[in-house]
Amino acid sequence: MATAKMGRSRGTPVKENGAKLEEGLTVFKSDKFDADAYVQSSCTLNEKEIRQLCSYLLDLKKASAEEMRRSVYANYTAFIKTSKEISDLEGELLSIRNLLSTQATLIHGLADGVHIESSSTNVHEDSTENVNSDFEDRDPSDLERWSVEFPDLLDVLLAERRIDEALAALDEGDRVVAESKETKALSTTLLASLQTAITERRNKLADQLAESACQPSTRGSELRSAISALKKLGDGPRAHTLLLNAHFQRYQYNMQTLRPSSTSYGGAYTAALSQLVFSAIALAASDSLAIFGKEPAYTSELVMWATKQVEAFALLVKRHALSSSAAAGGLRAAAECVQIALGHCSLLEARGLALCPTLLKLFRPSVEQALEANLKRIEESTAALAAADDWVLTYPPTPTRQSGRLLSASVGNTSAFQHRLTSSAHRFNLMVQDFFEDVGPLLSMQLGGQTLEGLFQVFNSYVNMLIKALPGSMEDEANFEGSGNKIVRLAETEAQQIALLANASLLADELLPRAAMKLSPLSQSHYKDDFQRRPADRQNRHPEQREWKRRLVSSVDRLKDTFCRQHALDLIFTEEGDSHLTADMYINMDGNADEIDWFPSLLFQELFAKLTRMASMAADMFVGRERFATLLLMRLTETVILWLSEDQSFWDDIEEGPRPLGPVGLQQFYLDMKFVMCFASQGRYLSRNLHRVVNEIISKAIAAFSATGMDPYRVLPEDEWFNDVCLDAIDRLSGKPRAINGDRELNSPTASVSAQSISSVRSHGSS
């Protein structure tokens, strides 16, 4: 047993604090951590503890993965910005390198010219003239003529927008320049002139391509060709930015025809806008991948751009579709808009863009607002009906029962919707069932826990109204949270008051938990199969909902406790505040012992009659839920007996009063306690706690009697006599006279106590 407790103690913290990863990993972070010792200590576990250890480690793994995911999302924006800045710096460095290369070429050319000029002054004048005359007389080579004509060729290609040929010519020019530097086939002056011409035409072509990409009429293959050509010119960052801007301008132009109005359908507007935005993002992602591949710098810029477009899209949807529905509590309309947007956004995952978490984060406040407004509407609508509820149990109206049968068919349980409730509880149940029809966005946004908590608060508020409907609870209104100044119609009869309990118990035990099962992710695809499993299996799969159900039941227990306390007070006290249960009713009996008619006291007769009436009404109201009725009767009986056990003034008079408890009073007290145990046992609501408390009360009375110096066991008849009297009293109070066997008189304890002991008792009592 101790081993099992130790195993449970290892698994419990993870269940309660699974998100606290640091606490779970403390043992592994220690500098003195010994892996071998840890494994050896784990190997000493039994099979159950090993399973729990495995569960513990799996929970740590899940928590670690969740922590890593949050860390990635928290720092991803900074990483993308840094990558973008690095990419921009690389582009600037490339431009600077080209500029420095051009300037170095010009400087070398000037230096070579100056050197040649200075050297020629030292040569003989005749020789110089001969050389010059030879140079002038020599015809230029083909390469020299080509270098002179090449700039004109580039100008023609650029003017005619023959992009591919211009790119090929520029590549050819770069090749010639590189070869000329090695072979010295061109003079320095011609080489510098050629390089300058190539650089100027390259920049001109880049500007021409950028201007073309910015034109709204440039689309499809033409846009991709321009961007690809610009990338080939060595200006990749600029080309990628122009590509994204082109797609942005295109969908902005298409959005001009989409004009939402106050009367337009939010789902239709969201669908149209989603189609435009996410299609543009998908096309931009495809073009970026086709032209630039998976290079990190360009991928990061694409993700940042797509995230920015998603944020702008979410702002438009919230402004024109979500804001009005969320404020009005239209959870279904808000959920539909979110589902449409998520459906389009999820298609981008095939292109490597996981933007759904970003979209969910942006939509979450609006959905939370719609959730709160919807719960508030359920609470207010139920409160309005509770003010006029007659607290009579009825079946659902015909249209509701038809819709209930349709709904029950989907979950494989048709009988659940045949329970009877009062009008306000019917309304509460129907609104909750409708509330859970669209829970997809709530699950994807991880709002399941918040939804359950909100619904619990609404149910708790309804229970507070049911407590206010009890006639004796008006003085406790200040203790009810959330009840405010709501007016509730009083439940005046016992049947109406038991109907309050029927409302709360049925909602908490069956209807609300069944509706909340839709919040389980598994229920979305296996909802029908889930209800064909055993209830215990379903509860084990949903521990959060099992805990939520326990909270609902605890709220019902507040109503049950108030009900039992008020009925106990009605039995014990008069309207003037006097008590029916005093020590004098037993102490004074010894003065007229000869006139005693052995029968339970009036208070306990009334308790039996009340419990009998309630048992009859509960049998009709709690069909199929007899256990709740039994627990109710058990709680009411315990409340009366516990009051007697804890009434200090009663026991002060019994134990220390001016007159002691006599033999007849002890017999009557013992008979009353036995009577309670007898009818509770017959009604099957004799709890262990009630049995224990009754025995403790009897022991206290016997101890008080023993303090007078008399022997209580010589005074009290045997239990058989008390049982016969109790059974006879039950039959008489139930209207069924009991036949007596033999000549024994039940109204006299002489059947079990000798005449000598009785006379002895009376002599002691008279003294």
Side-chain angles (χ1 to χ4, degrees), residues 315-332:
L315 182 62
L316 289 175
V317 172
K318 288 193 291 185
R319 180 185 304 166
H320 299 296
L322 283 181
S323 58
S324 58
S325 59
L331 182 61
R332 179 173 297 180

Side-chain angles (χ1 to χ4, degrees), residues 158-173:
L158 293 179
E160 295 180 358
R161 295 185 178 276
R162 294 154 62 181
I163 305 300
D164 294 337
E165 296 181 30
L167 290 173
L170 288 173
D171 292 340
E172 178 68 16

Side-chain angles (χ1 to χ4, degrees), residues 492-657:
E492 298 177 354
T493 66
E494 289 181 349
Q496 290 176 323
Q497 294 167 17
I498 295 178
L500 302 179
L501 292 164
N503 284 343
S505 63
L506 181 58
L507 289 171
D509 290 337
E510 298 185 26
L511 299 181
L512 296 185
R514 182 185 298 116
M517 287 295 293
K518 297 178 183 179
L519 278 176
S520 169
L522 295 176
S523 67
Q524 301 303 305
S525 57
H526 306 289
Y527 190 59
K528 182 175 181 179
D529 295 338
D530 191 67
F531 268 91
Q532 294 175 352
R533 298 176 180 267
R534 291 183 301 131
D537 294 336
R538 295 199 303 269
Q539 290 182 357
N540 290 333
R541 293 170 59 187
H542 311 293
E544 181 182 2
Q545 294 186 8
R546 187 169 67 251
E547 175 62 26
W548 179 70
K549 181 178 179 180
R550 279 199 292 264
R551 296 180 64 194
L552 295 179
V553 173
S554 67
S555 184
V556 177
D557 286 341
R558 290 194 301 110
L559 174 63
K560 188 191 300 183
D561 290 340
T562 304
F563 173 88
C564 294
R565 183 175 63 253
Q566 292 180 5
H567 279 275
L569 294 177
D570 290 341
L571 284 171
I572 297 172
F573 293 97
T574 64
E575 295 182 358
E576 292 77 16
D578 298 329
S579 177
H580 291 300
L581 185 59
T582 63
D584 291 339
M585 60 186 289
Y586 297 106
I587 294 174
N588 295 334
M589 292 186 67
D590 285 271
N592 52 355
D594 295 332
E595 301 175 3
I596 293 297
D597 179 17
W598 294 106
F599 205 71
S601 300
L602 181 61
L603 171 67
F604 297 99
Q605 295 179 35
E606 294 178 354
L607 174 61
F608 170 75
K610 180 182 286 290
L611 291 170
T612 303
R613 290 195 307 271
M614 289 186 176
S616 176
M617 290 183 286
D620 178 61
M621 296 183 182
F622 295 93
V623 177
R625 293 181 297 127
E626 290 77 9
R627 175 172 172 76
F628 182 86
T630 300
L631 293 176
L632 174 63
L633 300 177
M634 188 183 300
R635 182 75 62 87
L636 178 55
T637 309
E638 290 178 355
T639 303
V640 176
I641 300 303
L642 285 172
W643 182 278
L644 173 60
S645 175
E646 298 171 358
D647 188 355
Q648 193 59 41
S649 62
F650 176 89
W651 292 107
D652 288 343
D653 292 340
I654 291 290
E655 298 170 348
E656 303 174 359

